[in-house]
Amino acid sequence: MKVVIAPDSFKESLSALEACHAIEKGWRKVFPDAEMVNVPMADGGEGTVQSLVDATGGRLIHCEVTGPLGTPVKAFYGMLGDGKTAIIEMAAASGLALVPQDLRNPLVTTTRGTGELIVSALNEGVSTIILGLGGSATNDGGAGMAQALGVRLLDADGSEIGHGGGELHRIARIEMTEADPRLKRVTFVAACDVDNPLTGERGASAVFAPQKGAGPDMVRQLDGNLVHYAAMIKECLGSDVERMPGAGAAGGLGAGVLAFLDAELKRGVDIVIEATGLASHVKDADLVITGEGRIDSQTIFGKTPMGVAKTAKRYGVPVIGIAGSLADRHEVVHEHGIDMVFPIVPGVCTLEDALHRAAPNMERTARNIAMALKCGSNLA
C-alpha cells in the first residue's frame, strides 16, 4: 500500500509537515508496513515558504529588511532543495501583520522590503524566484520593491519619490538603466489567486485598501494614484498592466511584478504542486490524504485540498480529506474529487483546546480511518 499525505498547514496549530507526521503516525498503527510519502503543501499564502522548504529539503534564510513602515524588520525566505529556487512570501517583509492596528495607512506603507528579499535571493545565485503575493499592508503597486531593485521612480525635478501609495502621483519618469542586471537572468513566478485589476471598482484600492486602514476618501486618492502609476508604466516601459487580471493583488504588487520582473502569475496551489513534484508521487499511489484547518464550500476555489484532489484524480487515485472542522455545504467537495472528509475534533471543546490538541486528534483520526479501511477490506 502506498499512501501520499499532502495536507496544507492547520493554522495556529500544525505546520503542513507536522500534519503529515501526525497522519503517518496514526496510519502506521494499523498499516505499519505501508509506504508513506509526505508532501507538505500550501496554496501560495501564509505557510508556503515553510511547506516548500520542508517538502524539498531546503532551508530558511533570515535577514533584516525595510518593513512596511520604513523601519527595519526581521524577515525570511526559503531556498528549495535544488539550491536554485527561492520562495518569498511578500508578507514576511511587507505584510499587514507587521503593522500595528493604529498605524495602518496605505498612503505610507511600502513594499521595499520585498525587493530587498529579492536582492538577497539574487545574491544566493538563484535562477528562479517564486513570490507569494498575499497578506500585504501596502498599496504602492510594487513601487517600493522596484526601487529596492534599482528602478528609478522620478518626479518632475528628477528626485526619487518617497514611500507608499500616497507618492505615486508624483512620478514623472521611470528609468530602468540602473535596475539590477541579474533580474533579466532569473525567472519570476508569482502566486496569485485573485483576478482583480489594478484600478477601478474591483481594483487594489477599492477592494483591499479598507482592511489596511483606508477610509473612502483615501481609497479614492489611492486609486487615482494607481491610475497615474499605470499610465507612467505604459508610457515609460510599454507595459499595459492596469486591467490585467491579478494586477491588483497585494496592493498592486501584481502590477509591479508584471511590469518590472516580467513575472508569470499562477494559482498558488499550482505552483506548489509543480515545485513539490506532487504528480510524480501520486501517479502510482493507492490513496491520497489531504486536508486543511476548515473544509467548506469555499475549498473548491483554489484551496490546497482541491489542487491535490485534482492531481490525484488524473491518475484515478481516491482522496480522503481531513479537517479541523467541517462547515455547512462542505459536501460540495465530493463533486470535485474528494471522496470522503473527516473532522479531527472529537466533540464539543474550546477553540484553544482544539488548537492545542490538534496533533493527537489528527493522529487518532488517521488511525480510525485506516482501521475502517482495514475492516472494510476484511469484510470484502
Side-chain angles (χ1 to χ4, degrees), residues 17 276 320:
L17 183 61
T276 58
I320 291 175

Side-chain angles (χ1 to χ4, degrees), residues 44-193:
E46 180 184 356
T48 298
V49 166
Q50 189 66 60
S51 291
L52 284 180
V53 165
D54 289 339
T56 64
R59 60 191 172 96
L60 291 178
I61 297 175
H62 297 267
C63 51
E64 188 173 84
V65 298
T66 303
L69 293 175
T71 53
V73 298
K74 294 180 179 179
F76 65 91
Y77 62 97
M79 183 69 68
L80 303 196
D82 64 2
K84 292 295 183 181
T85 304
I87 169 73
I88 295 172
E89 291 175 17
M90 72 87 61
S94 313
L96 193 60
L98 298 174
V99 183
Q101 186 79 34
D102 60 340
L103 295 179
R104 293 178 179 177
N105 180 354
L107 288 174
V108 301
T109 48
T110 177
T111 53
R112 188 175 189 92
T114 298
E116 291 168 351
L117 289 182
I118 292 173
V119 171
S120 178
L122 293 174
N123 292 340
E124 294 286 332
V126 299
S127 58
T128 301
I129 295 178
I130 301 169
L131 296 166
L133 300 188
S136 78
T138 58
N139 205 94
D140 73 348
M145 174 202 72
Q147 289 173 309
L149 295 170
V151 178
R152 302 194 69 199
L153 306 179
L154 306 174
D155 65 15
D157 296 325
S159 301
E160 286 278 354
I161 67 165
H163 289 164
E167 287 282 291
L168 300 180
H169 70 284
R170 296 180 52 219
I171 298 175
R173 190 168 75 257
I174 299 174
E175 292 185 354
M176 298 289 293
T177 53
E178 297 180 22
D180 195 316
R182 296 174 296 179
L183 296 175
K184 295 180 180 179
R185 301 193 292 269
V186 174
T187 299
F188 288 90
V189 182
C192 178
D193 288 343

Side-chain angles (χ1 to χ4, degrees), residues 195-363:
D195 62 359
N196 302 73
L198 181 61
T199 64
E201 61 182 18
R202 293 189 62 249
S205 305
V207 176
F208 303 115
Q211 68 195 38
K212 304 170 187 180
D217 290 341
M218 189 186 296
V219 165
R220 285 189 287 272
Q221 180 182 354
L222 290 166
D223 188 58
N225 287 0
L226 287 177
V227 169
H228 175 75
Y229 180 59
M232 288 293 97
I233 289 174
K234 185 176 181 179
E235 177 181 323
C236 299
L237 306 183
S239 180
D240 190 358
V241 298
E242 186 171 3
R243 309 310 303 173
M244 285 187 179
L253 181 58
V257 301
L258 287 166
F260 301 112
L261 305 180
D262 193 26
E264 178 185 7
L265 302 187
K266 297 177 66 174
R267 276 191 177 276
V269 69
D270 293 337
I271 292 173
V272 176
I273 287 170
E274 182 178 342
T276 58
L278 179 66
S280 66
H281 298 298
V282 164
K283 63 183 181 182
D284 60 347
D286 298 294
L287 178 68
V288 170
I289 300 175
T290 186
E292 63 180 350
R294 175 185 173 105
I295 290 180
D296 55 26
S297 61
Q298 297 303 303
T299 298
I300 65 174
F301 297 110
K303 296 293 186 67
T304 294
M306 212 74 268
V308 172
K310 288 179 179 178
T311 302
K313 290 308 177 184
R314 292 210 308 265
Y315 303 98
V317 181
V319 178
I320 291 175
I322 298 179
S325 65
L326 302 177
D328 290 344
R329 298 193 66 247
H330 69 270
E331 298 89 350
V332 71
V333 302
H334 299 320
E335 303 170 16
H336 296 266
I338 299 181
D339 300 289
M340 296 171 278
V341 290
F342 298 88
I344 68 171
V345 178
V348 177
C349 66
T350 65
L351 176 60
E352 180 181 6
D353 189 48
L355 295 174
H356 177 68
R357 294 193 54 77
N361 285 344
M362 182 85 76
E363 179 185 333

